[in-house]
């Protein structure tokens, strides 16, 4: 059962210079510190473009991917009781009920290499990516385009299993009608409401490290629905693969060494993350703390 806590909504127009800016900045800070998720309105992305991308994304799934997903679903879910059915039921717990493809935008785009996109869809996605790049103001990102079709056994399989995101900032354009996205707050699952023409923002593991835990990445999931095909276009803004990630010095001045987050190369973190995405994030951080400690000991005795 999801909580009915009020989900934070930020009007980006109020973040501009003006008398309402201080209160809006306080609201943004509170959303980052206490939620790790929030929705933004008045973000500058044309609503006509958002509608076009949503229509084309759903049309692309119907035309190019639905049949393949139905074939996968018929094999993945148990159809009967007994040995085979029980084996499939156990296996389904580690499946995600989603149809996904990935688009890399920067530094080297790959949208022309994705074979089943038509020219109009490529054009719309390029334009949408340019708008998101302006909104986020960072140079490296890619997009995960997902469909979450109706699921006959939402009691058995999640749309997407619970996890935190590995990167920096994630901008999500989600379905305006079909819900299912939830975040874990204070031990309760909270619905992220579908809001037309909004962009959902959530913080990834790298922001938690850089802020030394002041802003935290938040566990979230997608609950499979019995009707409706939920669209999700999640754009991930990540550091360069060779970027060294560490807590901002100003945030660790008065901390004990053991209370600070580790230093690591982002590519190394991603290699660990892909193996343990659906597990707790804390052991990932601890693994790099151990590496740091071992390196310090080697230097001390050299």
């Amino acid at each position: 059962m999801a909580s009915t806590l009020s989900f934070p909504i930020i009007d980006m127009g109020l973040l501009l210079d003006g008398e309402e800016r201080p209160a809006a900045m306080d609201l943004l800070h509170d959303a980052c510190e206490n939620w790790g998720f929030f929705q933004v309105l008045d973000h500058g992305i044309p609503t006509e473009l958002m509608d076009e991308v949503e229509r084309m994304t759903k049309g692309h799934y119907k035309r190019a991917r639905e049949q393949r997903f139905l074939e996968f679903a018929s094999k993945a879910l148990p159809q009967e009781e007994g040995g085979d059915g029980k084996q499939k039921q156990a296996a389904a717990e580690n499946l995600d009920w989603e149809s996904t493809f990935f688009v890399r935008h920067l530094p080297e785009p790959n949208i022309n290499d994705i074979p089943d996109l038509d020219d109009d869809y490529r054009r719309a996605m390029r334009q949408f990516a340019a708008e998101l790049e302006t909104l986020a103001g960072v140079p490296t990102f890619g997009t995960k385009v997902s469909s979450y079709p109706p699921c006959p056994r939402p009691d058995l399989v999640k749309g997407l299993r619970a996890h935190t995101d590995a990167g920096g900032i994630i901008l999500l354009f989600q379905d305006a009608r079909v819900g299912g996205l939830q975040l874990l707050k204070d031990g309760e699952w909270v619905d992220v409401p579908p809001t037309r023409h909004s962009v959902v923002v959530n913080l990834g593991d790298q922001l938690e490290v850089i802020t030394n835990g002041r802003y935290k990445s938040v566990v979230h999931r997608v609950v499979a629905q019995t009707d409706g095909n939920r669209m999700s276009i999640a754009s991930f803004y990540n550091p360069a693969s060779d970027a060294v990630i560490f807590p901002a010095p100003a945030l660790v001045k008065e901390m004990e060494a053991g209370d600070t987050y580790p230093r690591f190369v982002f590519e190394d973190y991603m290699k660990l993350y892909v193996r343990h995405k659906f597990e707790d994030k804390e052991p990932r951080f601890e693994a790099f703390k151990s590496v740091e400690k071992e390196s310090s000991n080697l230097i001390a005795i050299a």
Side-chain angles (χ1 to χ4, degrees):
M1 190 75 176
S3 170
T4 56
L5 288 171
S6 180
F7 189 80
I9 298 176
I10 309 296
D11 184 338
M12 290 192 67
L14 301 181
L15 297 176
L16 303 175
D17 291 337
E19 61 181 21
E20 294 180 283
R21 174 178 164 80
M25 289 297 292
D26 287 344
L27 183 61
L28 177 60
H29 170 68
D30 180 75
C32 290
E33 190 168 51
N34 295 311
W35 285 80
F37 264 78
F38 53 93
Q39 285 184 342
V40 293
L41 300 173
D42 195 14
H43 41 64
I45 302 175
T47 56
E48 298 83 3
L49 176 60
M50 299 180 83
D51 290 341
E52 182 181 27
V53 168
E54 181 173 358
R55 176 178 58 79
M56 288 186 168
T57 298
K58 290 189 172 183
H60 171 259
Y61 170 78
K62 192 76 176 174
R63 174 180 59 81
R65 293 181 172 264
E66 183 177 48
Q67 186 56 41
R68 274 181 284 170
F69 186 83
L70 292 175
E71 291 171 3
F72 151 79
S74 67
K75 297 174 183 177
L77 288 183
Q79 305 297 319
E80 70 283 323
E81 299 295 330
D84 185 59
K86 289 181 179 179
Q87 289 177 356
K88 284 189 176 181
Q89 182 169 340
E93 295 177 359
N94 294 317
L95 291 176
D96 299 312
W97 194 262
E98 62 173 355
S99 171
T100 294
F101 67 93
F102 294 87
V103 181
R104 185 176 63 251
H105 304 297
L106 293 173
E108 295 294 334
N110 73 338
I111 194 167
N112 288 334
D113 301 326
I114 301 174
D116 55 8
L117 306 185
D118 61 37
D119 290 341
D120 286 341
Y121 192 22
R122 293 183 209 274
R123 173 194 53 76
M125 287 298 289
R126 286 193 195 97
Q127 187 178 352
F128 185 61
E131 295 285 350
L132 287 175
E133 182 183 353
T134 300
L135 177 61
V138 292
T140 304
F141 75 103
T143 294
K144 176 187 176 186
V145 181
S146 300
S147 296
Y148 296 92
C151 177
R153 293 292 306 274
D155 60 314
L156 184 61
V157 61
K158 293 286 185 292
L160 181 60
R161 288 165 287 163
H163 65 287
T164 63
D165 290 327
I169 296 174
I170 298 85
L171 302 184
L172 170 66
F173 174 30
Q174 69 167 342
D175 201 290
R177 292 172 291 277
V178 183
L181 177 61
Q182 296 180 338
L183 65 94
L184 189 63
K185 177 172 172 57
D186 301 328
E188 295 184 74
W189 288 106
V190 179
D191 290 322
V192 179
T195 303
R196 191 161 190 79
H197 299 144
S198 72
V199 173
V200 176
V201 182
N202 74 280
L203 310 182
D205 294 348
Q206 307 312 299
L207 260 293
E208 179 166 339
V209 174
I210 291 169
T211 64
N212 203 46
R214 187 165 187 178
Y215 294 170
K216 288 185 168 59
S217 60
V218 174
V219 174
H220 54 285
R221 68 183 184 184
V222 177
V223 177
Q225 307 293 312
T226 56
D227 55 5
N229 183 8
R230 178 178 177 268
M231 179 204 73
S232 166
I233 302 178
S235 293
F236 297 85
Y237 295 82
N238 293 342
S241 60
D242 61 351
V244 179
I245 308 301
F246 57 91
L251 298 178
V252 299
K253 283 182 179 178
E254 299 177 3
M255 293 278 188
E256 296 291 334
D259 295 331
T260 60
Y261 279 67
R263 174 187 292 259
F264 50 77
V265 175
F266 179 61
E267 184 177 25
D268 293 338
Y269 186 84
M270 284 303 300
K271 289 177 181 176
L272 183 64
Y273 176 84
V274 296
R275 299 197 304 271
H276 302 283
K277 174 178 178 177
F278 298 110
E279 301 172 16
D280 292 340
K281 62 184 173 181
E282 287 78 13
R284 300 197 291 265
F285 297 145
E286 290 300 322
F288 284 103
K289 281 187 178 182
S290 298
V291 170
E292 274 191 316
K293 186 175 181 180
E294 288 175 11
S295 297
S296 298
N297 290 340
L298 288 173
I299 292 172
I301 63 176

